[in-house]
Amino acid sequence: MMKECRFYKKLDGVGRYAANTVMCELCPHCCIISEGRHGKCGSRWNFEGRLYSVVYGKPCALADDPIEKKPLNEFHPGTRCLSLSCTGCNFRCLNCQNHDISQVLPSNVDFYELSPLEIVEIAVKHHLPGIAFTYTEPLTYYEYIYDIAQEAHKRGLWNILVSAGYINPEPLKEIVSFIDAANIDLKAFSDEVYQKQCGGHLQPVLDTLLTIKEAGVHLEITNLLIPGVNDDEGMIRDMCRWLNDHGFDDCPLHFSRFFPQYRMKDSIPTPRETLYLARRIAEEEGINKVYLGNI
Ligand code: SF4
Ligand code: SF4
Protein backbone atom coordinates (compact mmCIF):
# COMPACT_ATOMS: atom_id res chain seq x y z
CA MET A 1 0.00 0.00 0.00
CA MET A 2 1.80 3.17 -1.21
CA LYS A 3 0.02 6.43 -1.82
CA GLU A 4 1.21 9.25 -4.00
CA CYS A 5 2.02 12.24 -1.84
CA ARG A 6 0.35 15.57 -2.03
CA PHE A 7 2.33 18.79 -1.83
CA TYR A 8 5.34 18.14 -4.00
CA LYS A 9 6.60 19.39 -7.31
CA LYS A 10 8.73 17.93 -10.06
CA LEU A 11 12.04 19.61 -10.73
CA ASP A 12 12.59 17.98 -14.12
CA GLY A 13 14.56 20.30 -16.31
CA VAL A 14 14.93 22.89 -13.55
CA GLY A 15 18.53 24.15 -13.24
CA ARG A 16 21.06 21.44 -12.54
CA TYR A 17 18.67 18.85 -11.05
CA ALA A 18 18.85 15.34 -12.43
CA ALA A 19 15.86 13.89 -14.26
CA ASN A 20 13.04 12.72 -11.98
CA THR A 21 14.10 14.91 -9.04
CA VAL A 22 11.25 16.29 -6.91
CA MET A 23 10.80 18.80 -4.11
CA CYS A 24 8.56 17.88 -1.19
CA GLU A 25 6.61 20.93 -0.04
CA LEU A 26 4.90 19.40 2.98
CA CYS A 27 7.21 20.82 5.63
CA PRO A 28 9.68 23.70 5.85
CA HIS A 29 12.64 21.42 5.06
CA CYS A 30 11.39 21.38 1.44
CA CYS A 31 13.61 18.35 0.73
CA ILE A 32 15.02 17.99 -2.76
CA ILE A 33 14.69 14.25 -3.38
CA SER A 34 16.37 12.46 -6.26
CA GLU A 35 15.02 9.27 -7.77
CA GLY A 36 15.23 6.28 -5.41
CA ARG A 37 15.84 8.45 -2.34
CA HIS A 38 13.69 9.58 0.59
CA GLY A 39 13.26 12.90 2.38
CA LYS A 40 14.61 13.71 5.84
CA CYS A 41 11.59 12.20 7.54
CA GLY A 42 12.16 8.83 5.87
CA SER A 43 8.46 8.55 5.04
CA ARG A 44 8.32 10.03 1.55
CA TRP A 45 10.17 8.36 -1.31
CA ASN A 46 10.84 9.30 -4.89
CA PHE A 47 9.94 6.42 -7.16
CA GLU A 48 10.48 7.12 -10.86
CA GLY A 49 9.96 10.83 -10.41
CA ARG A 50 6.83 10.64 -8.26
CA LEU A 51 6.76 11.09 -4.51
CA TYR A 52 5.05 8.37 -2.47
CA SER A 53 4.15 8.00 1.19
CA VAL A 54 5.66 4.62 2.03
CA VAL A 55 4.10 4.54 5.49
CA TYR A 56 0.53 4.92 4.22
CA GLY A 57 -1.59 2.14 5.74
CA LYS A 58 1.35 0.82 7.78
CA PRO A 59 1.01 1.91 11.41
CA CYS A 60 3.85 0.63 13.61
CA ALA A 61 2.05 1.41 16.89
CA LEU A 62 -1.58 1.19 18.00
CA ALA A 63 -2.68 1.68 21.59
CA ASP A 64 -5.65 2.53 23.76
CA ASP A 65 -4.65 5.65 25.73
CA PRO A 66 -6.32 7.99 28.21
CA ILE A 67 -6.74 11.34 26.52
CA GLU A 68 -4.77 13.02 29.32
CA LYS A 69 -1.69 11.11 28.13
CA LYS A 70 -1.55 13.10 24.88
CA PRO A 71 -1.55 15.43 26.95
CA LEU A 72 -5.00 16.97 26.56
CA ASN A 73 -6.43 18.00 29.92
CA GLU A 74 -9.37 20.05 28.74
CA PHE A 75 -10.78 18.06 25.82
CA HIS A 76 -13.30 15.49 26.99
CA PRO A 77 -11.34 14.54 30.14
CA GLY A 78 -11.76 10.99 31.33
CA THR A 79 -12.18 9.57 27.83
CA ARG A 80 -9.81 7.30 25.93
CA CYS A 81 -8.61 7.28 22.35
CA LEU A 82 -7.02 5.02 19.79
CA SER A 83 -3.42 6.19 19.49
CA LEU A 84 -1.73 5.50 16.19
CA SER A 85 1.65 6.18 14.68
CA CYS A 86 3.76 5.37 11.66
CA THR A 87 7.55 5.61 11.54
CA GLY A 88 9.28 8.89 10.75
CA CYS A 89 9.80 12.42 11.91
CA ASN A 90 11.05 15.60 10.30
CA PHE A 91 12.93 16.56 13.50
CA ARG A 92 16.01 14.96 15.06
CA CYS A 93 15.50 15.78 18.73
CA LEU A 94 18.47 14.67 20.82
CA ASN A 95 16.05 13.76 23.62
CA CYS A 96 13.49 11.84 21.53
CA GLN A 97 11.73 9.31 23.74
CA ASN A 98 10.31 7.51 20.70
CA HIS A 99 13.50 7.42 18.64
CA ASP A 100 13.09 3.68 18.00
CA ILE A 101 10.15 4.49 15.73
CA SER A 102 10.67 8.18 14.88
CA GLN A 103 14.26 7.94 13.65
CA VAL A 104 14.04 4.76 11.57
CA LEU A 105 12.87 3.84 8.12
CA PRO A 106 9.59 1.93 7.80
CA SER A 107 11.46 -1.17 6.64
CA ASN A 108 13.28 -1.37 10.00
CA VAL A 109 10.21 -2.05 12.15
CA ASP A 110 7.23 -4.38 12.26
CA PHE A 111 4.01 -2.77 11.15
CA TYR A 112 0.34 -3.56 10.65
CA GLU A 113 -1.38 -3.20 7.30
CA LEU A 114 -4.60 -1.31 7.91
CA SER A 115 -6.65 0.88 5.61
CA PRO A 116 -8.14 4.13 6.95
CA LEU A 117 -11.53 2.44 7.18
CA GLU A 118 -10.08 -0.47 9.17
CA ILE A 119 -8.49 1.98 11.63
CA VAL A 120 -11.83 3.65 12.20
CA GLU A 121 -13.52 0.29 12.63
CA ILE A 122 -10.99 -0.68 15.34
CA ALA A 123 -11.81 2.52 17.25
CA VAL A 124 -15.55 1.93 16.92
CA LYS A 125 -15.26 -1.74 17.91
CA HIS A 126 -13.38 -0.80 21.09
CA HIS A 127 -15.78 2.06 21.91
CA LEU A 128 -13.03 4.68 21.62
CA PRO A 129 -14.51 8.07 20.74
CA GLY A 130 -11.36 9.50 19.16
CA ILE A 131 -8.25 8.70 17.15
CA ALA A 132 -4.96 10.33 18.15
CA PHE A 133 -2.12 10.68 15.66
CA THR A 134 0.86 10.66 17.97
CA TYR A 135 4.22 9.22 19.21
CA THR A 136 6.27 10.14 16.08
CA GLU A 137 5.51 13.10 13.80
CA PRO A 138 2.06 12.50 12.35
CA LEU A 139 2.33 15.24 9.78
CA THR A 140 4.92 13.16 7.91
CA TYR A 141 2.19 10.60 7.21
CA TYR A 142 -0.13 13.36 6.14
CA GLU A 143 -2.04 11.42 3.48
CA TYR A 144 -2.89 8.59 5.89
CA ILE A 145 -4.13 11.04 8.54
CA TYR A 146 -6.15 12.90 5.96
CA ASP A 147 -7.99 9.77 4.82
CA ILE A 148 -8.47 8.36 8.34
CA ALA A 149 -9.70 11.72 9.64
CA GLN A 150 -12.41 11.94 6.98
CA GLU A 151 -13.62 8.40 7.71
CA ALA A 152 -13.49 9.13 11.45
CA HIS A 153 -15.71 12.18 11.09
CA LYS A 154 -18.24 10.20 9.08
CA ARG A 155 -18.53 7.89 12.13
CA GLY A 156 -18.66 10.74 14.63
CA LEU A 157 -15.16 10.18 16.05
CA TRP A 158 -12.75 12.96 17.05
CA ASN A 159 -9.38 13.41 15.39
CA ILE A 160 -6.53 14.41 17.68
CA LEU A 161 -3.18 15.68 16.44
CA VAL A 162 -0.12 15.43 18.68
CA SER A 163 2.68 17.09 16.78
CA ALA A 164 5.77 19.26 16.81
CA GLY A 165 3.94 21.48 14.33
CA TYR A 166 6.65 21.66 11.68
CA ILE A 167 4.56 21.93 8.53
CA ASN A 168 4.03 24.42 5.72
CA PRO A 169 0.94 26.65 5.87
CA GLU A 170 -1.00 25.27 2.88
CA PRO A 171 -1.11 21.59 3.95
CA LEU A 172 -1.77 22.64 7.53
CA LYS A 173 -4.78 24.77 6.56
CA GLU A 174 -6.23 21.81 4.69
CA ILE A 175 -5.82 19.25 7.46
CA VAL A 176 -6.99 21.39 10.38
CA SER A 177 -10.55 21.33 9.11
CA PHE A 178 -10.60 17.62 10.08
CA ILE A 179 -8.82 18.02 13.41
CA ASP A 180 -10.85 18.44 16.60
CA ALA A 181 -8.05 18.83 19.14
CA ALA A 182 -4.31 19.29 19.00
CA ASN A 183 -1.39 19.29 21.36
CA ILE A 184 1.59 21.04 19.78
CA ASP A 185 5.10 20.92 21.21
CA LEU A 186 6.70 24.31 21.57
CA LYS A 187 10.17 22.98 22.20
CA ALA A 188 11.95 26.23 23.04
CA PHE A 189 11.52 29.91 22.44
CA SER A 190 14.79 30.13 20.55
CA ASP A 191 15.61 29.45 16.94
CA GLU A 192 19.13 28.48 17.97
CA VAL A 193 17.82 25.76 20.31
CA TYR A 194 15.48 24.50 17.60
CA GLN A 195 18.41 24.21 15.21
CA LYS A 196 20.77 22.51 17.66
CA GLN A 197 18.31 20.33 19.55
CA CYS A 198 15.77 19.40 16.86
CA GLY A 199 17.17 20.26 13.43
CA GLY A 200 14.49 22.80 12.57
CA HIS A 201 13.39 26.38 13.13
CA LEU A 202 11.08 28.12 15.58
CA GLN A 203 9.02 30.45 13.36
CA PRO A 204 7.12 27.74 11.40
CA VAL A 205 5.99 26.25 14.73
CA LEU A 206 4.71 29.64 15.94
CA ASP A 207 2.87 30.00 12.62
CA THR A 208 1.31 26.57 13.15
CA LEU A 209 0.05 27.59 16.60
CA LEU A 210 -1.57 30.70 15.14
CA THR A 211 -3.20 28.78 12.28
CA ILE A 212 -4.63 26.11 14.59
CA LYS A 213 -5.99 28.75 16.97
CA GLU A 214 -7.55 30.75 14.13
CA ALA A 215 -9.21 27.56 12.86
CA GLY A 216 -10.98 27.18 16.21
CA VAL A 217 -9.44 23.78 16.96
CA HIS A 218 -9.11 22.91 20.66
CA LEU A 219 -5.41 23.54 21.30
CA GLU A 220 -3.05 22.72 24.16
CA ILE A 221 0.69 23.43 24.11
CA THR A 222 3.52 21.41 25.64
CA ASN A 223 6.94 22.75 26.58
CA LEU A 224 9.36 20.02 27.71
CA LEU A 225 11.90 21.70 29.97
CA ILE A 226 15.41 20.29 29.54
CA PRO A 227 18.14 21.41 31.95
CA GLY A 228 20.68 23.65 30.26
CA VAL A 229 18.83 23.58 26.95
CA ASN A 230 15.60 25.56 27.21
CA ASP A 231 15.07 26.17 30.94
CA ASP A 232 16.47 29.70 31.00
CA GLU A 233 14.10 31.96 32.94
CA GLY A 234 14.29 34.68 30.32
CA MET A 235 13.44 32.22 27.55
CA ILE A 236 10.45 30.87 29.47
CA ARG A 237 9.25 34.41 30.17
CA ASP A 238 9.65 35.46 26.51
CA MET A 239 7.68 32.41 25.40
CA CYS A 240 4.84 33.09 27.83
CA ARG A 241 4.79 36.76 26.86
CA TRP A 242 4.55 35.84 23.17
CA LEU A 243 1.73 33.41 23.94
CA ASN A 244 -0.19 36.03 25.88
CA ASP A 245 0.43 38.74 23.26
CA HIS A 246 -0.96 36.42 20.56
CA GLY A 247 -4.15 35.40 22.34
CA PHE A 248 -3.07 32.08 23.90
CA ASP A 249 -3.70 33.20 27.47
CA ASP A 250 -6.58 30.70 27.87
CA CYS A 251 -4.82 27.92 25.98
CA PRO A 252 -3.66 25.17 28.38
CA LEU A 253 0.13 25.20 28.67
CA HIS A 254 1.88 22.03 29.87
CA PHE A 255 5.38 22.27 31.29
CA SER A 256 6.76 18.79 31.17
CA ARG A 257 9.64 17.17 33.01
CA PHE A 258 12.54 15.71 31.01
CA PHE A 259 14.25 12.42 31.85
CA PRO A 260 17.64 11.47 30.33
CA GLN A 261 17.32 9.35 27.21
CA TYR A 262 18.51 8.75 23.65
CA ARG A 263 21.40 11.12 22.95
CA MET A 264 20.99 12.94 26.26
CA LYS A 265 21.52 10.04 28.64
CA ASP A 266 24.27 12.00 30.45
CA SER A 267 21.93 14.86 31.29
CA ILE A 268 19.98 15.16 34.54
CA PRO A 269 16.20 15.03 35.00
CA THR A 270 14.54 18.41 35.18
CA PRO A 271 14.51 19.52 38.82
CA ARG A 272 10.95 19.90 40.09
CA GLU A 273 11.82 23.46 41.16
CA THR A 274 12.32 24.37 37.48
CA LEU A 275 8.76 23.31 36.73
CA TYR A 276 7.38 25.27 39.67
CA LEU A 277 9.37 28.31 38.55
CA ALA A 278 8.09 27.97 34.98
CA ARG A 279 4.52 27.81 36.27
CA ARG A 280 5.06 30.97 38.34
CA ILE A 281 6.54 32.80 35.34
CA ALA A 282 3.65 31.72 33.11
CA GLU A 283 1.09 32.89 35.66
CA GLU A 284 2.90 36.21 36.05
CA GLU A 285 2.77 36.63 32.27
CA GLY A 286 -0.99 36.08 32.19
CA ILE A 287 -1.25 32.43 31.14
CA ASN A 288 -4.38 31.17 32.88
CA LYS A 289 -4.14 27.40 32.56
CA VAL A 290 -0.78 25.91 33.45
CA TYR A 291 -0.19 22.19 34.00
CA LEU A 292 2.93 20.32 35.09
CA GLY A 293 3.59 16.95 33.49
CA ASN A 294 5.84 13.92 34.14
CA ILE A 295 6.06 14.71 37.83
S1 SF4 B 1 7.77 16.04 4.97
FE1 SF4 B 1 9.64 14.79 4.90
S2 SF4 B 1 10.22 14.70 2.74
FE2 SF4 B 1 8.75 16.37 2.97
S3 SF4 B 1 9.97 18.20 3.23
FE3 SF4 B 1 9.50 17.44 5.27
S4 SF4 B 1 11.18 16.09 5.86
FE4 SF4 B 1 11.31 16.44 3.65
S1 SF4 C 1 9.54 15.84 17.19
FE1 SF4 C 1 8.97 14.29 18.67
S2 SF4 C 1 9.11 12.35 17.54
FE2 SF4 C 1 10.24 13.87 16.39
S3 SF4 C 1 12.36 13.64 17.04
FE3 SF4 C 1 11.40 15.27 18.26
S4 SF4 C 1 10.68 14.25 20.11
FE4 SF4 C 1 11.06 12.65 18.57
Side-chain angles (χ1 to χ4, degrees), residues 24 26-27 29-31 33 39-41 44 90:
C24 177
L26 180 62
C27 93
H29 289 310
C30 289
C31 298
I33 309 171
K40 278 186 179 147
C41 58
R44 303 166 84 77
N90 50 356

Side-chain angles (χ1 to χ4, degrees), residues 115-182:
S115 70
L117 195 53
E118 287 172 316
I119 292 291
V120 170
E121 280 167 358
I122 289 171
V124 170
K125 182 178 165 197
H126 292 274
H127 308 288
L128 298 169
I131 300 175
F133 307 103
T134 181
Y135 304 139
T136 57
E137 177 45 70
L139 295 169
T140 61
Y141 49 91
Y142 185 96
E143 292 75 15
Y144 194 34
I145 294 184
Y146 194 89
D147 291 352
I148 293 171
Q150 293 194 50
E151 291 297 335
H153 270 189
K154 282 185 205 161
R155 302 292 289 272
L157 305 182
W158 313 310
N159 294 308
I160 297 161
L161 179 68
V162 183
S163 166
Y166 206 59
I167 182 170
N168 282 331
E170 191 190 341
L172 177 62
K173 280 180 189 146
E174 234 182 273
I175 198 102
V176 288
S177 53
F178 298 103
I179 299 298
D180 303 286

Side-chain angles (χ1 to χ4, degrees), residues 279-294:
R279 178 168 59 191
R280 183 167 60 73
I281 293 171
E283 287 168 355
E284 283 169 8
E285 294 300 330
I287 305 297
N288 296 317
K289 298 169 179 174
V290 185
Y291 296 98
L292 303 185
N294 286 349

Side-chain angles (χ1 to χ4, degrees), residues 47-58:
F47 182 69
E48 297 183 346
R50 299 172 91 165
L51 195 63
Y52 289 91
S53 168
V54 287
V55 290
Y56 187 98
K58 299 186 179 86

Side-chain angles (χ1 to χ4, degrees), residues 223 225 230-244 253 255 273-288 290 292:
N223 179 225
L225 288 167
N230 62 353
D231 60 344
D232 175 78
E233 279 187 50
M235 193 188 296
I236 296 169
R237 192 171 294 282
D238 288 347
M239 178 183 75
C240 295
R241 206 165 274 171
W242 184 92
L243 288 171
N244 195 2
L253 174 61
F255 289 112
E273 294 68 31
T274 305
L275 290 136
Y276 300 141
L277 175 66
R279 178 168 59 191
R280 183 167 60 73
I281 293 171
E283 287 168 355
E284 283 169 8
E285 294 300 330
I287 305 297
N288 296 317
V290 185
L292 303 185

